[in-house]
Amino acid sequence: MTVTSEFPGDTPEMVLAALLQEVATELASSAALAGSVQVALSRCRFSVPPDPETLTKLQGLDRISQSLDSVSRLMASLSACLPQDVMVATSALNADQRHNNLPQRITRSGRTESGESLSRPGDVAWL
């Protein structure tokens, strides 16, 4: 049975180790983003200092970035341990994804030949 991908230019399968490495890269990027948000929040000036409960909740950003970084390192380690002949169907990446371009980014179809993301830095979706 041939598995077809919903993404133009994608192959129906990819090496699982490569997929895990791409997931590791995505997690590392998210960890860096969480760290940047933490720095931005620390630079905010409030008219009234946040209460201790709010400050404790804001510490969650640090835990998020540390957890993302740890899971990223775990994925990279697992990727290095896997044989290169284990394949995964790229169509499986479409299931239950809320971030509409995540599958393209982790299968590298959302990147240029040099590996750069096709999304532009500074693109902001305001709530």
Side-chain angles (χ1 to χ4, degrees):
M1 176 178 158
T2 303
V3 178
T4 58
S5 174
E6 295 181 20
F7 307 120
D10 278 355
T11 56
E13 294 183 323
M14 73 182 294
V15 176
L16 180 59
L19 174 63
L20 290 181
Q21 184 56 53
E22 291 299 323
V23 170
T25 300
E26 186 68 27
L27 288 165
S29 177
S30 294
L33 179 60
S36 294
V37 170
Q38 184 177 0
V39 168
L41 274 172
S42 72
R43 293 179 179 165
C44 290
R45 302 286 182 235
F46 299 100
S47 59
V48 176
D51 59 87
E53 181 182 358
T54 300
L55 290 174
T56 300
K57 288 180 180 179
L58 287 171
Q59 282 294 315
L61 280 172
D62 186 46
R63 289 189 297 277
I64 289 169
S65 66
Q66 289 177 17
S67 293
L68 288 169
D69 185 58
S70 293
V71 175
S72 172
R73 291 172 190 269
L74 174 65
M75 286 292 150
S77 294
L78 289 174
S79 171
C81 295
L82 288 174
Q84 294 297 308
D85 61 347
V86 177
M87 303 296 284
V88 64
T90 57
S91 61
L93 302 174
N94 297 326
D96 299 323
Q97 293 299 319
R98 291 186 182 167
H99 199 295
N100 60 0
N101 68 348
L102 179 63
Q104 291 96 332
R105 289 197 319 270
I106 63 176
T107 60
R108 299 184 78 62
S109 64
R111 297 179 186 221
T112 65
E113 286 184 24
S114 67
E116 296 175 16
S117 174
L118 292 177
S119 62
R120 293 175 294 180
D123 284 353
V124 176
W126 295 100
L127 302 177

